[in-house]
Amino acid sequence: MKPKVLLVCCDGLEKGGIQAVIMSIVKNLNDDYDFDIISFSDGKQFYTDEFLKYGGNIYHFKKYDAKNPIGKLFLGFFEYLHLYKQIKDFLAKHNDYACIHCHNYFNAAPFLKAAARHNIKIRIAHSHNVKSIIKYKNPFHNIFDKIKQKQLVKYATNKIACSKGAGEYLFGKNSLVEVVNNAIDLQKFDPHKFNNKNESDCIKFVHIGRYGYQKNQLFLLDVFNELIKDIENASLTLVGFGLWTDKVKNRIDELKLTDKVAMLPSDTDIPLILSQSDAMIFPSTFEGLGISLIEAQAMGLRCYTSEVIQPEADLGLCKTLELSLGAKKWAEFICDDINKNGLKKQFVDMSSYDIQNIKEQYRRIYSD
């Protein structure tokens, strides 16, 4: 009998950075462990079939839905109770897990508490991001997060994060946190499997990320609009989905960039797109790591990033600019850099992000 691991997703199994981390774990460790997962969405999603191929069961939990002003004001409290009841009842029926691995930030607290009370020996809280700069209207939001943070520290046997900054955000500055890099499959992101030459005269920029405030695609489009004033033969490929899909489309129309910008779905062949691109622009407003940057550098692309990326994400090909400089200054910097240094692809040491190395970290953590 293989030990059983219960994974707790942050949302559903739609395509995203955290889901990619979860799937890399399942795919590379399924010979040693049986995996089940708790998802907070119904229906078939991007990773559903792949998880069922390598893993076991998908259990669907309900998110807390605040029905009245009191429920919305004290969202963190009622959400905690709602999740705790579900996981407590679940573990009363499924009590054969050796490990629980939570990827749902502060809401991991009720899961870890219930797991401790059901004698699950290995209880992992995993941080994938840093504090958002979005200002919350709910005055109790940060208070409830602090309460949950204390429970995370109390009930987690292992606190891990994709970067030092992500660890400090979820667990506090004084907690002992193990950094585990977000692994990528270097066989999949092997530039030698592709024709890395851009045969056209066009300079191809790329951006990969969920459409929303964090990834900052509206600013990106403003940068690109300024950039093509100096580099007329430039194109931009966006890969993703999200709440800002319509906003992104509208901004492309407003700037009259429809013949310069392509929007591709999230199931696009990412290694192929990167192999056909010359550089990545990545102006996030906050970032726990930025796995797209790791993938881009694996394919030899120079990456123009905002100052919020974590040091662990720069493997030598990142050029960092402050968002406060504005779109015009960003465009000027990118143009100057290309004119000075060109865009020849460079290949760097990726061993620290190789899933073959990182799976040994997880194997050790799961067997602690």
Side-chain angles (χ1 to χ4, degrees):
M1 291 286 291
K2 292 184 287 186
K4 291 186 68 174
V5 177
L6 179 62
L7 300 165
V8 182
C9 197
C10 61
D11 198 350
L13 285 172
E14 200 51 81
K15 190 168 187 179
I18 296 175
Q19 289 83 354
V21 171
I22 290 172
M23 290 310 306
S24 71
I25 293 170
V26 174
K27 181 178 178 180
N28 286 279
L29 289 173
N30 69 89
D31 287 340
D32 302 301
Y33 302 93
D34 287 328
F35 292 96
D36 291 341
I37 193 167
I38 291 172
S39 170
F40 294 91
S41 61
D42 295 322
K44 185 176 178 179
Q45 294 184 293
F46 181 83
Y47 283 117
T48 299
D49 288 341
E50 186 177 0
F51 182 85
L52 292 174
K53 176 182 176 182
Y54 293 108
N57 300 300
I58 300 174
Y59 298 102
H60 299 280
F61 275 34
K62 298 293 184 183
K63 292 182 178 180
Y64 175 68
D65 184 14
K67 299 292 187 182
N68 54 60
I70 296 297
K72 292 178 180 178
L73 183 63
F74 297 103
L75 176 67
F77 174 72
F78 291 112
E79 187 176 46
Y80 181 97
L81 295 179
H82 173 78
L83 294 174
Y84 183 72
K85 183 180 187 308
Q86 287 186 89
I87 186 60
K88 180 171 65 73
D89 293 345
F90 175 85
L91 291 177
K93 299 175 183 177
H94 306 82
N95 57 4
D96 55 345
Y97 292 107
C99 171
I100 183 170
H101 187 168
C102 296
H103 300 263
N104 54 334
Y105 297 102
F106 293 102
N107 281 334
F111 287 83
L112 296 177
K113 180 179 178 179
R117 294 191 172 182
H118 282 84
N119 297 315
I120 295 178
K121 301 299 182 186
I122 301 169
R123 303 181 296 276
I124 305 166
H126 197 152
S127 181
H128 296 270
N129 218 329
V130 297
K131 185 176 179 63
S132 167
I133 62 174
I134 298 173
K135 301 297 183 183
Y136 294 105
K137 295 179 181 179
N138 187 336
F140 294 104
H141 182 90
N142 291 327
I143 295 174
F144 288 125
D145 277 356
K146 284 294 184 185
I147 294 171
K148 292 175 185 177
Q149 184 182 72
K150 289 182 179 180
Q151 290 213 335
L152 288 176
V153 173
K154 177 179 179 180
Y155 290 111
T157 58
N158 299 77
K159 299 181 285 294
I160 63 179
C162 64
S163 66
K164 180 181 177 182
E168 290 180 353
Y169 162 60
L170 191 61
F171 306 111
K173 292 187 176 181
N174 296 321
S175 284
L176 183 62
V177 179
E178 180 175 357
V179 172
V180 179
N181 288 336
N182 286 352
I184 65 171
D185 186 345
L186 292 185
Q187 292 184 345
K188 184 178 177 182
F189 290 90
D190 181 357
H192 300 98
K193 291 183 177 180
F194 302 88
N195 177 10
N196 290 296
K197 293 182 179 179
N198 182 355
E199 302 295 347
S200 70
D201 293 331
C202 180
I203 295 178
K204 298 180 178 181
F205 294 94
V206 66
H207 173 85
I208 300 167
R210 191 186 298 260
Y211 298 137
Y213 178 79
Q214 178 183 2
K215 301 300 182 181
N216 207 13
Q217 286 90 0
L218 300 187
F219 178 80
L220 166 62
L221 289 169
D222 289 342
V223 171
F224 183 72
N225 189 50
E226 293 290 337
L227 194 150
I228 58 175
K229 294 176 183 178
D230 291 316
I231 307 177
E232 294 181 3
N233 61 329
S235 68
L236 173 63
T237 299
L238 303 175
V239 183
F241 71 101
L243 294 175
W244 276 22
T245 299
D246 289 339
K247 286 185 177 182
V248 172
K249 288 179 179 178
N250 291 338
R251 181 62 65 88
I252 292 171
D253 291 338
E254 289 170 9
L255 297 174
K256 297 180 172 58
L257 294 174
T258 51
D259 61 335
K260 292 280 193 180
V261 180
M263 294 179 68
L264 302 183
S266 58
D267 60 353
T268 296
D269 186 336
I270 300 299
L272 178 61
I273 290 296
L274 291 174
S275 74
Q276 296 170 344
S277 301
D278 295 301
M280 173 173 278
I281 305 177
F282 203 77
S284 295
T285 55
F286 60 96
E287 198 65 65
L289 181 73
I291 193 65
S292 294
L293 290 175
I294 307 303
E295 295 170 347
Q297 290 174 95
M299 299 299 286
L301 270 65
R302 190 172 310 154
C303 301
Y304 299 101
T305 74
S306 63
E307 74 274 22
V308 303
I309 70 158
Q310 300 301 309
E312 293 91 338
D314 184 1
L315 298 175
L317 299 182
C318 291
K319 301 274 188 175
T320 303
L321 298 90
E322 294 182 2
L323 288 173
S324 60
L325 291 173
K328 188 173 182 179
K329 289 291 185 183
W330 268 62
E332 289 175 356
F333 178 89
I334 293 171
C335 290
D336 289 344
D337 185 62
I338 292 173
N339 289 332
K340 180 180 178 181
N341 300 307
L343 279 173
K344 183 179 179 180
K345 293 187 177 179
Q346 303 175 53
F347 301 108
V348 294
D349 181 10
M350 298 297 302
S351 59
S352 60
Y353 284 88
D354 187 351
I355 183 58
Q356 298 307 316
N357 295 326
I358 292 171
K359 73 178 184 181
E360 298 305 323
Q361 265 186 287
Y362 283 119
R363 185 178 279 117
R364 172 182 53 76
I365 291 169
Y366 285 170
S367 62
D368 276 349

